[in-house]
């Protein structure tokens, strides 16, 4: 075996090439969800499966195991926050996971999830759960096999969750959710009892799609999205993806009869994009240049969408732009009515459109259902009924069809089991970080009112983006805020807003 | 070595996987030219280089040589028009070529041409030849190296040409061009002397881009483009590409002050697409499922663009649609004026906008210039001056800037040296096939006037598309028309049209 310095250099070179290959898959996924014509589905699935197999084969090569072992025993990784230690630690983690997956399972997973996403899109359009059920069944069965390969005999859900939120467990998550549920249910109950209703009709007027897109671009650029290194396109389900250095892309969808969907959806994806555009390019393809976790990624999107985008000061700057873009729809609308309308708190059907307060109940429900299906306590066939029962129980509403019920999200079709809880983690981290940014930066509201978002973005770049995976989510929370993850900042924020708007 | 049947099966499986990998590169190229943001150029070039290297490494594996040798000595390839013989013959040809190219050259070529295309796009925008010159220099130098690797000591240009038009030579091409030049120059001279001018002003009114796009889609669908298995998007330089089974894509560009560019450009790319959509899907990834040559591919695009799209009968059906799409621009325009306007014959600056008669003079000029640069008889620095001198000599016009001169085409930046002459071959094959289709199908004009293009498309499917690479271009001409390639059908067609419109 070569010396540790040579071994590390070879490891880095290999990892970068594997990431380059992986980034080709990202281009295919992007195209799949934005351009690919219907008849090309099968061929695209074959392309993705081939890439997944090749990437997996390269990453699981024994040579990587040898290189890791050599470097791990050396001085190079002595300081845990050094670039080398970060790269080696996270590569070891992923390597151990990947080497336990047989290539046949990797290929089948890629092909199945690609076709299942396609089936989901069709099923959602016609609200036809039955046509999607066999695909969902197959995806869950493959994820069970994956979990059993990675950690035989252990909690399957925790094994899958760990992929998205390293170190997190379902037991911990249940505690976190419980600490939120009581206060949230209480708050939402008070709001409903107040009898006050936001003037949401304002947002349901005619908002032409082209003008929405123009405003979305303008807003994304204003908060810091670099269009020279990024793209905003359209797709059925909005998402953000990075295809490589200098190429971060996001999508949105435009509903001409509802302002909120595209505007806040774009701000949300912009939050994700700002994180990706802020990661250190010189470490591309290595853990040191990657995002901490999905929860931390989501903290960025939720901060820009909700804590910034739904603030009174944000609209002091942007309402005039919205009025210029939609003179008819916004004619005579007051600042207060607009602010109240974009902060409507009310149980609703669609997670991505849910308000800041009820959002976590949507997540909690999915968290429970996906565990039940994975553990075979709930059959896929019974999902629609169980979904609707829980919607009734937690939110008091019943979806009129599966398109607005259990078919609304893309995640499960793509194999994202254990993914949903990271959304609530994102909300919690966002509020906690934002509280600290206020302390560090002074009067954020005065800045927002002037359209100045650079100080906040700079703070996020310095404190979060630039570090890549150097610190875990928990470490990051402690380094930045001096405290471990806590539900208090989010609850404080929500209580304050509810008090202001609903007098509760 | 295994028995020939097993060897052939392994060969086919391997070739299909290599094609699948290659088709991933097509997705990247598509995205590169339609979506990719500027800052992502370098990363995209790295992705393309990696794929090119991997594809080349797989295709040049000695195992393929062994498999070929086994099958070649067997009964499997006895009948030259059998699927096996076609696949083996063309694979041998490509294998012998590819194994002579060092992987380092393949990688450098991929990376350089990707960046050179990018440089070309910028240079064209600002008409800045100097910023592009170093890239063009590098591309030509790499192509010289390529030619010398493939056929040391032989005519470099012929070696490159053979890649696009198997079996063709520059000596033959010079004969073909000569047989066209005299009659064409004579015909264009008569037209100029006639003093008659087409009312082209009609086409230079305001044609809104959205309405142009709608009509382009409608027209493409009407002649047979399957949008379920295809896409029409926008890009700087129109092109067509197939990304796999069920996924054929084309682009166009919309000039709001000129009707002809997008309309005939889209018909042109539709002609290419119809060929790709008509290739036998069951043979995807094998020569048996691929187009004959670039010349034959171009014969399909030129047939739909010119022989169909500029015919009087075509406009009997489509003028009413154009009038509905552009009521202002087309108000009061007569059938005769419209027909004359879209058949304006006049020397002009841009090849892709040139009429049927002068088009080949544009090609001839490029054919001469690329040979001169390749053979180092002309320096890249002198290209703009030489370009303009030849424009003056052959067409009597002088480009006002390089954007409308030697920077107008993408081909050289992407390494397409020896590509241009296939355009003129396409015109010749198109006219010869079309003459035969008229004989076989009866009154084509009556069909076109009713908007019925299915009989012509069916004829092309049966006679050309379905055969893949089974027959060479020359064999195909003889099988279909009973004659070898001849300039007469094109000249007859042009003389007839010129007679009708210009009275010459």
């Amino acid at each position: 075996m070569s010396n540790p310095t040579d071994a590390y250099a070879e490891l880095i070179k290999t990892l970068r090439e594997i990431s380059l290959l992986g980034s080709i898959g990202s281009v295919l996924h992007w195209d799949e969800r934005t351009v690919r014509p219907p008849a090309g589905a099968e061929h695209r699935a074959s392309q993705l499966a081939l890439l997944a197999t090749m990437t997996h084969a390269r990453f699981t090569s024994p040579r990587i195991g040898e290189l890791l072992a050599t470097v791990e025993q050396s001085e190079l990784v002595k300081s845990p926050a050094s670039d080398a230690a970060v790269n080696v630690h996270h590569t070891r983690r992923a390597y151990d996971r990947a080497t336990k997956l047989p290539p046949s399972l990797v290929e089948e997973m890629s092909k199945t999830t690609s076709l299942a996403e396609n089936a989901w899109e069709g099923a959602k359009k016609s609200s036809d759960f039955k046509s999607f059920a066999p695909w969902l069944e197959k995806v869950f069965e493959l994820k069970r096999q994956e979990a059993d390969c990675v950690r035989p005999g252990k909690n399957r859900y925790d094994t899958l969750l760990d992929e998205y939120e390293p170190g997190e467990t379902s037991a911990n998550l249940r505690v976190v959710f419980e600490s939120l549920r009581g206060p949230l249910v209480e708050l939402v109950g008070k709001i409903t009892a107040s009898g006050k209703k936001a003037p949401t009709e304002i947002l349901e007027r005619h908002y032409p799609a082209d003008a929405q897109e123009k405003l979305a671009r303008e807003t994304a650029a204003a908060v810091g999205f670099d269009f020279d290194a990024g793209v905003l396109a359209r797709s059925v389900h909005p998402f953000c993806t990075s295809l490589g250095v200098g190429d971060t892309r996001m999508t949105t969808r435009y509903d001409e009869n509802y302002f909120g969907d595209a505007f806040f959806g774009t701000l949300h994806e912009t939050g994700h994009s700002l994180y990706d555009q802020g990661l250190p390019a010189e470490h591309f393809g290595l853990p040191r240049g990657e995002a901490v976790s999905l929860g931390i990624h989501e903290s960025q999107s939720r901060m820009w969408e909700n804590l910034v985008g739904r603030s009174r000061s944000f609209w002091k700057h942007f309402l005039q732009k919205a009025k210029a873009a939609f003179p008819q729809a916004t004619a005579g609308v007051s600042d207060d009515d607009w602010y109240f309308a974009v902060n409507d708190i009310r149980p609703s059907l669609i997670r991505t459109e849910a308000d800041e307060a009820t959002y976590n109940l949507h997540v909690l429900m999915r968290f429970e259902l996906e565990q039940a299906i994975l553990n075979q306590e709930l059959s896929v066939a019974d999902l629609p009924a169980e979904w609707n029962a829980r919607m009734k129980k937690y939110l008091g509403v019943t979806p009129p069809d599966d398109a607005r019920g259990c078919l609304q999200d893309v995640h499960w079709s793509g194999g994202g089991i254990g993914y949903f809880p990271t959304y609530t983690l994102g909300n919690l981290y966002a509020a906690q970080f934002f509280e600290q940014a206020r302390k560090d930066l002074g009067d954020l509201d005065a800045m927002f009112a002037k359209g100045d978002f650079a100080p906040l973005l700079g703070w996020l770049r310095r404190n979060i983006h630039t570090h890549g995976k150097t610190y875990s989510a928990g470490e990051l929370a402690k380094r930045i805020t001096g405290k471990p993850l806590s539900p208090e900042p989010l609850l404080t924020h929500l209580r304050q807003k509810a008090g202001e708007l609903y007098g509760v």
Side-chain angles (χ1 to χ4, degrees), chain A residues 250-263:
Chain A
M250 56 184 180
T251 67
T252 194
R253 58 185 169 208
Y254 300 95
D255 178 348
E256 298 215 311
N257 300 310
Y258 183 57
F259 172 83
D261 202 9
F263 189 86

Side-chain angles (χ1 to χ4, degrees), chain A residues 21 33 47 53 76 134 144 179-180 183 234 263 271 273 302 323 333 358 378 427 445 447 453 467:
Chain A
L21 196 57
R33 291 165 74 177
Q47 292 175 322
T53 311
L76 286 172
R144 281 180 208 115
S179 73
L180 269 175
R234 301 183 181 197
F263 189 86
S273 297
R302 300 295 279 179
K323 288 198 167 191
V333 172
T358 58
L378 173 67
N427 286 334
D445 288 316
M447 300 172 199
F453 303 96
H467 299 301

